[in-house]
Amino acid sequence: MRFLRLKMGRSMTMPCADNAIKGTESTIKVNSKHAVNGNPTVGPFDPRYHLMIFGLGCFWGAERKFWKKKGVFSTQVGYSGGFTKNPTYEQVCSGGTGHAEVVRVVYDPEVVGLNELLQIFWEAHDPTQGMRQGNDFGTQYRSALYYTREDQKVLAEKSLSVYQELILKRITTEIKEAGPFYYAEDYHQQYLHKVPGGYCGLKGTGVSCPKVEL
């Protein structure tokens, strides 16, 4: 079944904690196995794996970019960076939660380096567009990197600095420590595997990103 992107009124202004939509204790349940590779999508994950959260616009196409990469154990789409506990897709699309659409990537650092994942991130979208990606506009489409380890923060900041030197417009990507990750509804998970001809609005700048090292 095809699911259409919601065409709702999009907010270009982030809410604050006081006026964000109130959350709920009801969590969204997802399939415990990845639809593409069969690996677990629900933690806890083996401690040898690292987790990083990427926001680069519509999470349907973004997730596919990462699950194809060798060394990526699992991917999940969801909502992060906002205020509402256990938000729904409709709530996030309203702009009232403060969350970005994101992909949580569980990867084996012995096989794939974060610098390679950052290359995918920078090259797959336009990180200079603020609260939008192409025709997708609203706070949920902002560019974001949410780290779970200090070395990820250092490398993410370094890669931003390097990439900024290569493109003319100012990068608006937010980089901050990861807060709660809330799963998106199950039909969003690995969506473009389930619906191969589904919507993907990702477009990069055409500028390659070099690998950076700590």
Side-chain angles (χ1 to χ4, degrees):
M1 179 177 181
R2 291 179 183 271
F3 292 86
L4 299 178
R5 301 288 294 176
L6 290 178
K7 299 301 181 183
M8 303 174 62
R10 308 286 193 183
S11 173
M12 303 294 279
T13 304
M14 283 284 289
C16 61
D18 291 337
N19 63 14
I21 294 172
K22 301 304 179 186
T24 175
E25 296 302 317
S26 179
T27 60
I28 291 174
K29 305 300 182 185
V30 299
N31 195 308
S32 63
K33 290 187 176 181
H34 198 280
V36 177
N37 60 31
N39 290 334
T41 57
V42 178
F45 299 101
D46 190 302
R48 74 175 182 271
Y49 298 129
H50 293 178
L51 278 69
M52 182 85 172
I53 297 174
F54 300 84
L56 53 158
C58 172
F59 50 23
W60 290 347
E63 185 184 20
R64 181 171 61 182
K65 290 285 185 181
F66 290 106
W67 83 48
K68 289 184 173 181
K69 185 67 175 176
K70 182 180 179 181
V72 170
F73 176 75
S74 184
T75 57
Q76 309 93 44
V77 297
Y79 315 116
S80 196
F83 305 104
T84 302
K85 186 175 183 180
N86 296 311
T88 65
Y89 180 59
E90 290 79 7
Q91 289 173 333
V92 171
C93 285
S94 77
T97 72
H99 290 292
E101 290 192 18
V102 298
V103 182
R104 186 172 65 175
V105 177
V106 184
Y107 64 98
D108 185 345
E110 296 297 320
V111 179
V112 60
L114 178 60
N115 53 7
E116 296 176 71
L117 301 180
L118 288 167
Q119 282 184 305
I120 294 173
F121 171 79
W122 295 119
E123 294 175 4
H125 78 304
D126 184 345
T128 70
Q129 293 193 345
M131 301 298 180
R132 70 181 303 147
Q133 279 297 306
N135 293 328
D136 294 328
F137 60 93
T139 54
Q140 74 269 31
Y141 296 118
R142 67 188 184 272
S143 177
L145 290 168
Y146 301 135
Y147 58 87
T148 62
R149 301 165 49 92
E150 190 64 22
D151 57 339
Q152 292 175 335
K153 174 188 177 182
V154 173
L155 197 61
E157 290 177 342
K158 185 173 181 180
S159 71
L160 185 153
S161 179
V162 169
Y163 201 54
Q164 182 65 86
E165 293 295 319
L166 301 176
I167 56 179
L168 298 177
K169 296 171 67 176
R170 184 180 70 86
I171 290 175
T172 58
T173 304
E174 65 178 6
I175 299 176
K176 65 181 183 180
E177 185 175 8
F181 169 84
Y182 300 106
Y183 288 92
E185 291 79 354
D186 193 59
Y187 72 85
H188 290 298
Q189 306 296 328
Q190 298 89 60
Y191 178 81
L192 291 182
H193 172 74
K194 300 169 183 175
V195 186
Y199 171 81
C200 177
L202 286 183
K203 291 183 180 179
T205 63
V207 179
S208 298
C209 179
K211 286 184 183 180
V212 296
E213 304 291 343
L214 287 176

